[in-house]
PDB file of all heavy atoms in Angstrom:
ATOM      1  N   THR Z   5     -48.060 115.735 -89.262  1.00 98.00           N
ATOM      2  CA  THR Z   5     -49.284 116.524 -89.188  1.00 98.00           C
ATOM      3  C   THR Z   5     -49.795 116.770 -90.595  1.00 98.00           C
ATOM      4  O   THR Z   5     -49.060 117.279 -91.444  1.00 98.00           O
ATOM      5  CB  THR Z   5     -49.040 117.876 -88.493  1.00 98.00           C
ATOM      6  OG1 THR Z   5     -48.647 117.639 -87.135  1.00 98.00           O
ATOM      7  CG2 THR Z   5     -50.292 118.734 -88.508  1.00 98.00           C
ATOM      8  N   ALA Z   9     -58.718 118.351 -94.398  1.00 90.00           N
ATOM      9  CA  ALA Z   9     -59.414 117.068 -94.317  1.00 90.00           C
ATOM     10  C   ALA Z   9     -60.373 116.874 -95.478  1.00 90.00           C
ATOM     11  O   ALA Z   9     -61.478 116.372 -95.301  1.00 90.00           O
ATOM     12  CB  ALA Z   9     -60.157 116.952 -92.988  1.00 90.00           C
ATOM     13  N   ALA Z 120     -73.273 125.478-108.852  1.00 91.00           N
ATOM     14  CA  ALA Z 120     -74.069 124.471-109.557  1.00 91.00           C
ATOM     15  C   ALA Z 120     -75.555 124.778-109.493  1.00 91.00           C
ATOM     16  O   ALA Z 120     -76.283 124.595-110.478  1.00 91.00           O
ATOM     17  CB  ALA Z 120     -73.785 123.086-108.973  1.00 91.00           C
ATOM     18  N   ARG Z 143     -66.049 128.195-121.660  1.00 90.00           N
ATOM     19  CA  ARG Z 143     -64.786 128.852-122.002  1.00 90.00           C
ATOM     20  C   ARG Z 143     -63.660 128.341-121.091  1.00 90.00           C
ATOM     21  O   ARG Z 143     -63.750 128.394-119.879  1.00 90.00           O
ATOM     22  CB  ARG Z 143     -64.936 130.371-121.872  1.00 90.00           C
ATOM     23  CG  ARG Z 143     -66.064 130.911-122.746  1.00 90.00           C
ATOM     24  CD  ARG Z 143     -66.185 132.415-122.701  1.00 90.00           C
ATOM     25  NE  ARG Z 143     -66.485 132.940-121.378  1.00 90.00           N
ATOM     26  CZ  ARG Z 143     -67.055 134.130-121.151  1.00 90.00           C
ATOM     27  NH1 ARG Z 143     -67.368 134.913-122.194  1.00 90.00           N
ATOM     28  NH2 ARG Z 143     -67.303 134.549-119.932  1.00 90.00           N
ATOM     29  N   VAL Z 195     -62.581 111.758-127.035  1.00 92.00           N
ATOM     30  CA  VAL Z 195     -63.442 112.812-126.518  1.00 92.00           C
ATOM     31  C   VAL Z 195     -63.845 113.768-127.641  1.00 92.00           C
ATOM     32  O   VAL Z 195     -65.003 114.203-127.721  1.00 92.00           O
ATOM     33  CB  VAL Z 195     -62.740 113.574-125.376  1.00 92.00           C
ATOM     34  CG1 VAL Z 195     -63.591 114.733-124.888  1.00 92.00           C
ATOM     35  CG2 VAL Z 195     -62.427 112.626-124.228  1.00 92.00           C
ATOM     36  N   ALA Z 274     -56.552 111.656-108.126  1.00 84.00           N
ATOM     37  CA  ALA Z 274     -55.095 111.687-108.037  1.00 84.00           C
ATOM     38  C   ALA Z 274     -54.599 111.671-106.593  1.00 84.00           C
ATOM     39  O   ALA Z 274     -53.398 111.558-106.357  1.00 84.00           O
ATOM     40  CB  ALA Z 274     -54.549 112.925-108.749  1.00 84.00           C
ATOM     41  N   ASP Z 303     -49.116 102.030-108.583  1.00 85.00           N
ATOM     42  CA  ASP Z 303     -48.299 103.025-109.279  1.00 85.00           C
ATOM     43  C   ASP Z 303     -49.061 103.662-110.441  1.00 85.00           C
ATOM     44  O   ASP Z 303     -48.469 104.341-111.279  1.00 85.00           O
ATOM     45  CB  ASP Z 303     -46.990 102.406-109.771  1.00 85.00           C
ATOM     46  CG  ASP Z 303     -47.216 101.305-110.802  1.00 85.00           C
ATOM     47  OD1 ASP Z 303     -48.348 100.788-110.873  1.00 85.00           O
ATOM     48  OD2 ASP Z 303     -46.256 100.979-111.528  1.00 85.00           O
ATOM     49  N   ASP Z 313     -75.689 109.346-121.402  1.00 89.00           N
ATOM     50  CA  ASP Z 313     -76.357 108.138-121.915  1.00 89.00           C
ATOM     51  C   ASP Z 313     -75.855 106.877-121.224  1.00 89.00           C
ATOM     52  O   ASP Z 313     -75.717 105.820-121.856  1.00 89.00           O
ATOM     53  CB  ASP Z 313     -76.173 108.016-123.432  1.00 89.00           C
ATOM     54  CG  ASP Z 313     -76.827 109.165-124.189  1.00 89.00           C
ATOM     55  OD1 ASP Z 313     -77.918 109.580-123.770  1.00 89.00           O
ATOM     56  OD2 ASP Z 313     -76.242 109.633-125.174  1.00 89.00           O
ATOM     57  N   PRO Z 345     -69.739 107.019-113.615  1.00 91.00           N
ATOM     58  CA  PRO Z 345     -68.331 107.010-113.192  1.00 91.00           C
ATOM     59  C   PRO Z 345     -68.163 106.954-111.681  1.00 91.00           C
ATOM     60  O   PRO Z 345     -69.055 107.341-110.929  1.00 91.00           O
ATOM     61  CB  PRO Z 345     -67.800 108.336-113.752  1.00 91.00           C
ATOM     62  CG  PRO Z 345     -68.998 109.228-113.838  1.00 91.00           C
ATOM     63  CD  PRO Z 345     -70.142 108.329-114.179  1.00 91.00           C
ATOM     64  N   ASP Z 355     -62.952 103.382 -99.499  1.00 83.00           N
ATOM     65  CA  ASP Z 355     -63.491 102.352 -98.606  1.00 83.00           C
ATOM     66  C   ASP Z 355     -63.917 102.918 -97.259  1.00 83.00           C
ATOM     67  O   ASP Z 355     -64.583 102.227 -96.476  1.00 83.00           O
ATOM     68  CB  ASP Z 355     -62.452 101.251 -98.390  1.00 83.00           C
ATOM     69  CG  ASP Z 355     -62.170 100.484 -99.686  1.00 83.00           C
ATOM     70  OD1 ASP Z 355     -63.075 100.415-100.535  1.00 83.00           O
ATOM     71  OD2 ASP Z 355     -61.049  99.979 -99.832  1.00 83.00           O
ATOM     72  N   ALA Z 360     -73.556 106.211 -99.958  1.00 51.00           N
ATOM     73  CA  ALA Z 360     -74.220 107.467-100.310  1.00 51.00           C
ATOM     74  C   ALA Z 360     -73.218 108.526-100.716  1.00 51.00           C
ATOM     75  O   ALA Z 360     -73.470 109.341-101.614  1.00 51.00           O
ATOM     76  CB  ALA Z 360     -75.060 107.972 -99.120  1.00 51.00           C
TER      77      ALA Z 360
END
Side-chain angles (χ1 to χ4, degrees):
T5 296
R143 303 183 298 203
V195 176
D303 63 342
D313 297 322
D355 294 332

